[in-house]
Amino acid sequence: MISCLPLDLATGALLLWLGLGLSGLLLGGWPTLACRLVFPLSSMVALLLTTAGFTALTATPDHLQLRGPLPALPWSFQIDPLSGFFLILLGLLACAVALFATGYFRSLPGPALRRLMLQYHVFLLGMGLVLLAANAFTFLVAWESMALASYFLVVTEHEKADSQRAGFLYLLIAHLGALAILLGFVILAGATISQGGPFSAMLHAPLNAFWAATAFLLTFFGFSAKAGLLPLHIWLPDAHPAAPAPVSALMSGAMLQIAFYGMLRVDFLFLGKLAMWWGPFVLMVGLATALFGVLFAAVQTDMKRLLAYSSIENMGLIMVAFGLALIFRAHGLNALAALALAAALYHALNHAFFKGLLFLGSGSVLHGAGSVAMDRLGGMIRQMPQTAFFMLLGTLAIAGLPPLNGFASEWLLLQAFLLSPALPQSTLSAVLPLAASGVVLAVALAAYAMVKFYGIAFLGQARGTRHAHEAGRWERSAMALLSVACIFLGLFPGVLLNLLHPVLQEMLGQGFAIQQGLWLTPVSAQRASYSPVIFFLGMATALGLSFLLIWSFFGRPLRRVPAWACGFPIRTPAMQDSPMGFAQPLLRIFAPLYQAERQANDAGRWRVRIGEPVYRGIYQPLNRIVFWLSAQVLRLQQGRITLYLLYSFLTLLILLALWR
Amino acid sequence: MTITAQGLTWGIPLLRLLAALLLLLTFAMLAQRRLLTLIHLLAWQGMVLAAGTALVALLTGQSELWFSAALTLTLKAILIPTVLHRLLRRLQVRGDVEAVLNIPLTLLAGIALVIFAFFLAAPITALTGTVTRGMVGIALAAVLLAFLMMITRRKAISQVVGFLAIDNGLFFAATSATLGMPMVVELGVALDALIGFVILGIFFFQMRETFDSMDLQHLEQIREE
Amino acid sequence: MTAILLEGMQILLVAFLAPLFAGLLRALRAILQNRRPAGCWQNYRDLYRLFHKESLQAEGTSWLFRFAPYGIFGAFCLAAGIIPILATGLPLAPAADVIALVGLFALARVFQVLAAMDTGTPFATLGAHREMLIAGLAEPALLAALFTASLLSRSTSLSVIVAHLEQLRFALHPSMVFAAAAFFMVLLAENARIPVDNPATHLELTMIHEAMLLEYSGRHLALMEWGAQIKLVLYVAIGIALFLPWGIVPAAEIAALPLTLLALPLKFAAAALILALVETLLAKLRLFRAPEFMATAFLLGVIGLLSFFMLGA
């Protein structure tokens, strides 16, 4: 019965989450007690789920079938290394986020807290169930409950018009996506779907090229609606900032990755035989998404909106790695595919941690300073020193700087790109290194955006808010936890890559070279090596030595003086860069993309408004077309009963004619 | 047309280098804002071409190629650029080229064209031997880039430069990829280029008299209404 | 053991001779511009003076402001241990390949920019976002150039690249010619040299690098200036390792060291001459022409990559 353990553990943890959500409903009358009790317990349950994920990496895949609403539609669950890995991601993030929530939601009034606790846990449950689902029916029910719960969480502040709009857009696109996934599953499973056909029936589904491509496109569309890929990202920058910080952290850190999980399962395990063009297609979409996301992240003036665009960028990077894996796999180069896929999974995990950390930190700033609008912030490093420190780590990690974790996964991705000469197709192998340069551009601009994020909000002089308080103990411990995770993943990438071995084995039939100790050598030591620990120690030694030497030779106490600022007598916070001012060079260079408009507001200050080119270019025309079509349909509607009867009669005749 | 083993070790890499330089010069033309520099670049391209032809002559021992190299040098590296230079001064054209597209975007389009040329030339590359591998692709890329330059510029002189650059690209393909071509073809091409050049020169003066400018936008006026 | 000694020697040599190289460059530039140079040793005098001065900390700055000079200096010292300057196969070399090296430079830059933003003064923040812009556009060009070298030698480790390129002797690689051109342009941009930034400017509105140092004084300023000089030497050293590697020998072959020690100063002197020439001949670009400059560098890198695939070399 030992082999049964991971699945039991995971389903048990999910049931406990449901229980916690329901008990939150009961305990809502005592907000403080409810917060102190439910969220820490939820955090422990998340650890349980993580344990289940870890055991699933090594255990044999396992199934569980329960009776469903209809005899032919059973609930069906399974756990394998792939879902195990994503359970670890979900569990660890949920653990830290629940700790944060303990402190963050303590001031929420009873009824709101009651609703929130239920929705929050149903959201977690939905995500967990998606990972465990073993047939299309279970998967879609879980997928929809995840979407609905997160919709309710997005509209937590439902009295605001912005929240409502964000929620509506999110719901619309989520449903379009779900519809596409359903259709994709129908193609994959064929007749078995109505009998609650298990996923195993879809394994290496025997489809001809056309239907395989259709299934691929439909599922890719559906999952990318959730993952926020271009051009379906439109809901993301509105929805993530509207939700409370812990929910934003979960949505950005975990939910987007679960969409990636769906792609992995469908493309590698169900479709099996990959067409040549899928990889380049995914890679192009990913690269466009990454560049688009980072360019728009750099011009945002709201902390959480900036992070949301940065999530789009990171999903783009993951898609680039995924596309590269598809390319290698399609050409039968499984070892290289394993490298690219490892980079994708590694970056997914990294993103969960640093983006979670940054969203939580911006929640602390919202509570501490009362705003996340960057033109009202500044100098938070003095009022919230600890939060600022954790946020600095998160910023450095997401900006892809060594020796933190963001760099390690991007390093792996670039290594995978440099192996492109192994491809038999010469044009493709020549274009791939250029795509790698595009990735480098995205990463370098991400550093631009994140330096802006940190520098404007935490450094310099305070712009508006002068009084802010440090985050509470729960919040800080949650951020500390995620910071430690970022550092650990940055310093010991080998540990994670060894853990990924069974996942890659399952998907590609080929694992990743086992990593030795402190070294990261994806192919061979001759080819490339990177040792973050030695890197870090070397830098720390050089830093410490130079500090000691200089202090002992030239050390004199520092004198604090007013800033010189080139001798200008007046120095006001408004003389620093505004959030838009910091991005001004980009606004100018990429002017056609941004469609920026300058407007003067009542106070006589200039405001820059950024247009969303995708919204204007795709959604608005689409909107017009739909309205035009519906106006045409309106012509049929004359209001005369006889005419309607005529329609029915004609339909009947046509159907009969076809039937014959 | 046999090449000595010694020639293979240093001659072919040198030829490749020249090919790459040709591509670089064409890109530089695409990125250039000033007419005078554009003409200098054309002269450099002529020199690279002459050096390439001379190198092929040395490697294959075809004596008529020496003649061809000398012809290229005098015509393409010295004569035409000098005439263009004088023309520029006689016509007193203002120094800046007005580009239709902005430069970085043009360069990006250029990169795409090079990839396309590479894609087109891949089958040919597979056919030819290893010696001249990739030369066709580079020459094709140079031709396409020169074409792109003609499209994105407004001043008539840059059109002429583009035309001559296309000719250079073709010439390079002929000499380096096939390691030399018959003398008759060679002379014909040279004569063609010269005649085209003369015609365009006359056209310049006419244009100058009619519109008092070298801006091609003015040509839009003379269409039939 | 000798390898460790060599490693230590290399780091110390780079750190202590970097001001000399920068001084030489300044002197050459002065001569080329018909000015009387202050001598190669002027930078040492400057550093000495700065180290003995009092350091001031602007009000309202945090620990980042004080930490940054040491962080930047430490990062460059580590980089000096990784790049094969005296020999390949040094003990620190496998800790980071070229990509990680670029990451290390990026780390130092981010600390510098954050320290500048910490002061909250207008010119510092101006310099900060310009620096991030230039760096953001330079990085793809730099990596495109480095990718060419690593595709050619099937490795991203600088030591292996050097060893491989040395073996090839004087074989001409068109792709490497382009990569060298791209790298040179990036070197100019990243080290605040003339077409992009002016190291000797005193006009606040045009500054990039200097603007970020405005609030620094005393030993902190000395460290920042010294760090910038080391960075320049490191970039030149990477350039030498990639494009003129002859003479850099494996750490085990200690006998060849005198030759290296002879060749190296010559190479550096040549680099200084070229840099001085370029800075004399070119004029500083307007800030918004800088993206075009970087685009050209990127283009050269891309042509390098493409000609690697098209010409097979």
Side-chain angles (χ1 to χ4, degrees):
Chain A
M1 284 310 282
I2 298 297
S3 66
C4 208
L5 198 61
L7 188 55
D8 293 346
L9 213 57
T11 41
L14 293 184
L15 281 178
L16 281 175
W17 263 344
L18 186 62
L20 282 173
L22 291 173
S23 60
L25 213 54
L26 294 176
L27 288 170
W30 304 273
T32 324
L33 177 75
C35 260
R36 286 276 162 88
L37 200 69
V38 173
F39 283 119
L41 279 175
S42 162
S43 179
M44 309 268 272
V45 174
L47 279 184
L48 205 65
L49 196 69
T50 314
T51 321
F54 272 111
T55 44
L57 285 181
T58 46
T60 47
D62 189 17
H63 293 272
L64 177 71
Q65 195 126 328
L66 299 173
R67 243 183 43 185
L70 290 170
L73 277 181
W75 300 105
S76 174
F77 305 100
Q78 67 170 4
I79 196 163
D80 58 5
L82 179 63
S83 46
F85 173 77
F86 280 90
L87 283 176
I88 296 173
L89 184 154
L90 175 64
L92 286 177
L93 183 66
C95 169
V97 168
L99 277 186
F100 187 88
T102 312
Y104 190 81
F105 288 125
R106 64 175 178 262
S107 51
L108 217 60
L113 184 68
R114 216 177 263 177
R115 273 201 306 272
L116 183 121
M117 278 185 169
L118 182 66
Q119 289 152 5
Y120 175 89
H121 285 101
V122 171
F123 180 41
L124 285 176
L125 174 78
M127 288 198 280
L129 282 181
V130 169
L131 296 176
L132 293 180
N135 64 8
F137 167 66
T138 318
F139 187 92
L140 284 167
V141 169
W143 186 262
E144 284 293 327
S145 57
M146 172 177 93
L148 272 179
S150 54
Y151 163 73
F152 283 119
L153 288 165
V154 166
V155 295
T156 303
E157 294 171 17
H158 50 82
E159 57 285 347
K160 289 187 191 162
D162 280 352
S163 279
Q164 284 173 18
R165 183 179 171 273
F168 174 71
L169 203 59
Y170 172 48
L171 205 61
L172 183 72
I173 295 196
H175 275 89
L176 274 179
L179 201 64
I181 295 172
L182 175 64
L183 289 176
F185 278 165
V186 167
I187 293 175
L188 280 170
T192 55
I193 197 161
S194 53
Q195 289 116 44
F199 274 168
S200 52
M202 297 188 199
L203 279 180
H204 301 288
L207 295 171
N208 64 22
F210 173 74
W211 285 112
T214 314
F216 166 76
L217 282 178
L218 277 171
T219 49
F220 185 73
F221 177 89
F223 288 123
S224 68
K226 192 61 105 186
L229 300 186
L230 215 63
L232 296 166
H233 67 282
I234 201 92
W235 59 273
L236 203 149
D238 286 334
H240 284 208
V247 178
S248 316
L250 279 179
M251 283 176 76
S252 201
M255 191 178 77
L256 301 185
Q257 309 311 334
I258 282 173
F260 176 45
Y261 161 84
M263 288 186 200
L264 283 176
R265 191 164 282 282
V266 170
D267 294 346
F268 278 114
L269 296 178
F270 297 169
L271 284 167
K273 191 166 167 6
L274 305 170
M276 288 294 171
W277 59 270
W278 296 355
F281 170 74
V282 173
L283 197 145
M284 295 265 278
V285 171
L287 194 57
T289 306
L291 287 171
F292 177 88
V294 74
L295 281 174
F296 276 81
V299 294
Q300 298 307 314
T301 57
D302 179 295
M303 283 172 84
K304 289 178 83 176
R305 233 179 132 75
L306 192 155
L307 291 177
Y309 271 109
S310 153
S311 294
I312 296 178
E313 180 238 331
N314 279 289
M315 282 317 289
L317 288 183
I318 292 171
M319 283 304 123
V320 168
F322 176 50
L324 197 59
L326 287 175
I327 290 176
F328 284 138
R329 169 79 168 170
H331 286 92
L333 300 165
N334 280 339
L336 306 188
L339 176 58
L341 200 56
L345 291 171
Y346 193 1
H347 198 72
L349 193 62
N350 289 339
H351 180 247
F353 289 151
F354 52 59
K355 191 49 69 63
L357 171 60
L358 291 172
F359 263 121
L360 295 186
S362 54
S364 290
V365 171
L366 180 64
H367 268 194
S371 174
V372 284
M374 287 201 278
D375 45 13
R376 298 180 45 76
L377 295 169
M380 288 298 135
I381 196 170
R382 289 188 295 282
Q383 281 138 349
M384 315 175 72
Q386 294 188 30
T387 307
F389 179 73
F390 297 133
M391 290 292 264
L392 178 65
L393 284 173
T395 305
L396 296 180
I398 199 170
L401 296 172
L404 289 162
N405 56 352
F407 177 77
S409 47
E410 281 154 13
W411 187 85
L412 275 183
L413 176 57
L414 291 180
Q415 290 296 343
F417 264 117
L418 285 177
L419 291 167
S420 73
L423 287 171
Q425 208 183 329
S426 62
T427 312
L428 195 59
S429 64
V431 175
L432 282 181
L434 301 188
S437 305
V439 169
V440 172
L441 180 65
V443 173
L445 288 177
Y448 190 110
M450 294 322 291
V451 160
K452 166 183 166 173
F453 172 83
Y454 193 79
I456 301 274
F458 288 90
L459 303 175
Q461 307 171 56
R463 287 178 178 77
T465 325
R466 301 206 170 270
H467 302 288
H469 60 81
E470 179 59 282
R473 203 173 301 141
W474 290 104
E475 283 102 316
R476 273 179 287 148
S477 59
M479 285 189 275
L481 206 65
L482 288 175
S483 305
V484 169
C486 283
I487 295 171
F488 180 83
L489 278 181
L491 289 183
F492 305 100
V495 176
L496 181 91
L497 287 176
N498 288 345
L499 269 182
L500 279 180
H501 196 82
V503 183
L504 299 173
Q505 192 81 45
E506 181 196 0
M507 306 222 302
L508 302 167
Q510 173 134 21
F512 196 79
I514 296 293
Q515 301 295 310
Q516 303 292 328
L518 307 175
W519 294 93
L520 187 58
T521 49
V523 184
S524 68
Q526 191 70 6
R527 171 108 211 171
S529 59
Y530 166 54
S531 171
V533 174
I534 295 180
F535 189 95
F536 174 71
L537 287 179
M539 201 173 141
T541 317
L543 198 153
L545 267 180
S546 58
F547 178 76
L548 282 177
L549 284 175
I550 283 164
W551 182 253
S552 60
F553 281 114
F554 310 107
R556 273 202 272 170
L558 288 169
R559 187 152 60 92
R560 281 199 173 257
V561 290
W564 174 56
C566 293
F568 278 80
I570 316 164
R571 183 167 163 259
T572 66
M575 287 167 74
Q576 308 170 92
D577 265 348
S578 65
M580 225 17 138
F582 195 87
Q584 184 254 357
L586 289 182
L587 273 181
R588 197 165 157 167
I589 295 172
F590 299 97
L593 182 67
Y594 291 124
Q595 302 168 325
E597 290 166 19
R598 294 219 300 170
Q599 299 167 331
N601 70 357
D602 304 340
R605 297 176 73 167
W606 284 102
R607 294 240 159 250
V608 180
R609 287 180 63 86
I610 303 289
E612 166 72 83
V614 177
Y615 193 74
R616 286 194 196 175
I618 298 179
Y619 286 80
Q620 281 182 345
L622 211 63
N623 199 9
R624 277 197 292 276
I625 292 173
V626 169
F627 270 102
W628 182 81
L629 278 179
S630 61
Q632 301 309 307
V633 172
L634 213 60
R635 286 189 190 174
L636 294 176
Q637 193 182 354
Q638 295 289 346
R640 249 186 288 167
I641 295 282
T642 46
L643 207 60
Y644 293 149
L645 284 173
L646 178 67
Y647 293 152
S648 312
F649 183 60
L650 283 177
T651 315
L652 184 69
L653 285 184
I654 291 169
L655 281 177
L656 284 174
L658 284 178
W659 186 258
R660 195 193 71 84
Chain B
M1 272 193 274
T2 47
I3 301 173
T4 56
Q6 197 200 358
L8 270 180
T9 52
W10 61 267
I12 294 302
L14 201 61
L15 198 60
R16 279 187 192 144
L17 185 67
L18 287 175
L21 274 179
L22 182 83
L23 190 63
L24 176 65
L25 286 171
T26 322
F27 257 114
M29 282 182 175
L30 204 57
Q32 195 45 250
R33 284 172 190 278
R34 296 173 64 188
L35 275 180
L36 206 62
T37 332
L38 206 60
I39 293 171
H40 289 167
L41 286 171
L42 187 72
W44 278 106
Q45 219 183 23
M47 271 183 234
V48 167
L49 213 55
T53 318
L55 187 65
V56 173
L58 189 69
L59 289 177
T60 56
Q62 289 166 290
S63 54
E64 69 261 33
L65 275 179
W66 284 108
F67 178 69
S68 161
L71 191 69
T72 313
L73 189 70
T74 45
L75 199 66
K76 290 190 168 155
I78 300 169
L79 190 65
I80 293 183
T82 323
V83 173
L84 268 178
H85 203 272
R86 285 178 124 189
L87 209 61
L88 203 65
R89 236 184 278 154
R90 283 273 295 281
L91 294 170
Q92 291 173 339
V93 182
R94 287 237 337 277
D96 272 15
V97 183
E98 284 160 63
V100 180
L101 275 168
N102 72 0
I103 301 276
L105 216 60
T106 318
L107 292 182
L108 272 183
I111 294 177
L113 274 185
V114 175
I115 293 170
F116 182 64
F118 181 39
F119 177 71
L120 286 183
I124 307 172
T125 311
L127 275 180
T128 56
T130 48
V131 180
T132 52
R133 221 183 106 202
M135 298 289 178
V136 182
I138 295 241
L140 188 57
V143 169
L144 292 181
L145 287 178
F147 226 122
L148 182 66
M149 195 195 76
M150 285 177 80
I151 294 166
T152 55
R153 295 302 155 85
R154 288 224 176 97
K155 288 268 161 53
I157 288 199
S158 38
Q159 246 77 25
V160 176
V161 173
F163 170 74
L164 292 169
I166 290 182
D167 183 52
N168 285 353
L170 289 175
F171 192 84
F172 187 80
T175 47
S176 61
T178 60
L179 293 178
M181 57 180 169
M183 199 59 206
V184 183
V185 180
E186 165 105 5
L187 282 175
V189 170
L191 203 65
D192 244 10
L194 204 61
I195 288 173
F197 182 68
V198 169
I199 291 174
L200 281 164
I202 296 167
F203 164 71
F204 280 168
F205 279 99
Q206 287 296 327
M207 191 176 166
R208 166 88 177 168
E209 263 171 35
T210 321
F211 301 115
D212 207 27
S213 157
M214 296 260 69
D215 202 318
L216 285 183
Q217 271 178 321
H218 294 287
L219 289 184
E220 289 167 18
Q221 295 170 8
I222 56 174
R223 64 163 179 224
E224 227 171 314
E225 292 296 327
Chain C
M1 193 59 209
T2 50
I4 294 174
L5 272 179
L6 259 179
E7 177 86 276
M9 194 169 121
Q10 176 175 315
I11 295 174
L12 291 179
L13 270 180
V14 168
F16 285 100
L17 291 183
L20 178 64
F21 178 75
L24 181 68
L25 184 54
R26 262 166 81 172
L28 281 174
R29 212 158 71 127
I31 293 169
L32 284 171
Q33 293 167 355
N34 272 335
R35 292 183 284 121
R36 195 134 49 90
C40 296
W41 308 97
Q42 182 57 35
N43 281 332
Y44 290 99
R45 289 192 281 270
D46 286 347
L47 287 181
Y48 179 85
R49 179 171 49 89
L50 284 175
F51 269 122
H52 284 273
K53 277 194 163 186
E54 184 186 20
S55 279
L56 304 177
Q57 184 172 12
E59 270 165 16
T61 52
S62 65
W63 61 271
L64 257 173
F65 182 78
R66 269 171 292 150
F67 174 81
Y70 300 101
I72 293 165
F73 190 76
F76 290 144
C77 283
L78 175 65
I82 292 166
I83 302 166
I85 301 174
L86 291 181
T88 60
L90 293 173
L92 269 180
D97 63 348
V98 273
I99 302 173
L101 206 59
V102 173
L104 185 59
F105 285 127
L107 182 68
R109 175 169 53 243
V110 164
F111 270 116
Q112 178 146 36
V113 167
L114 288 180
M117 296 191 79
D118 197 18
T119 64
T121 56
F123 293 120
T125 41
L126 203 71
H129 73 233
R130 288 178 179 175
E131 171 84 5
M132 288 314 286
L133 174 78
I134 300 290
L137 297 178
E139 224 159 84
L142 178 59
L143 277 168
L146 296 175
F147 284 168
T148 308
S150 50
L151 283 171
L152 198 61
S153 49
R154 292 197 185 80
S155 169
T156 58
S157 152
L158 259 181
S159 259
V160 180
I161 292 176
V162 168
H164 181 86
L165 292 179
E166 263 193 311
Q167 270 181 8
L168 295 177
R169 290 294 160 196
F170 292 91
L172 277 167
H173 291 285
S175 52
M176 287 301 272
V177 175
F178 289 113
F183 181 83
F184 184 69
M185 291 175 85
V186 172
L187 185 151
L188 292 176
E190 289 266 7
N191 288 288
R193 310 311 298 185
I194 246 187
V196 178
D197 189 8
N198 187 352
T201 185
H202 291 287
L203 188 63
E204 296 92 340
L205 281 174
T206 63
M207 299 196 284
I208 301 176
H209 178 77
E210 288 293 311
M212 292 191 290
L213 307 183
L214 282 175
E215 295 303 321
Y216 277 104
S217 55
R219 58 175 186 271
H220 291 159
L221 181 60
L223 269 180
M224 289 287 212
E225 297 279 5
W226 195 2
Q229 288 158 7
I230 295 178
K231 184 181 174 191
L232 177 61
V233 168
L234 292 178
Y235 263 90
V236 173
I238 296 177
I240 288 175
L242 290 180
F243 308 111
L244 289 171
W246 304 287
I248 306 173
V249 291
E253 293 174 30
I254 196 87
L257 197 60
L259 187 71
T260 312
L261 287 178
L262 199 70
L264 213 54
L266 287 178
K267 288 183 195 168
F268 270 98
L273 190 63
I274 295 171
L275 275 172
L277 260 177
V278 166
E279 288 199 61
T280 309
L281 291 176
L282 293 183
K284 186 183 173 301
L285 291 170
R286 272 173 63 215
L287 183 69
F288 285 101
R289 283 283 162 86
E292 267 172 42
F293 183 78
M294 299 326 311
T296 313
F298 178 61
L299 180 81
L300 285 170
V302 165
I303 298 178
L305 279 176
L306 283 177
S307 55
F308 169 79
F309 284 102
M310 288 170 90
L311 296 170

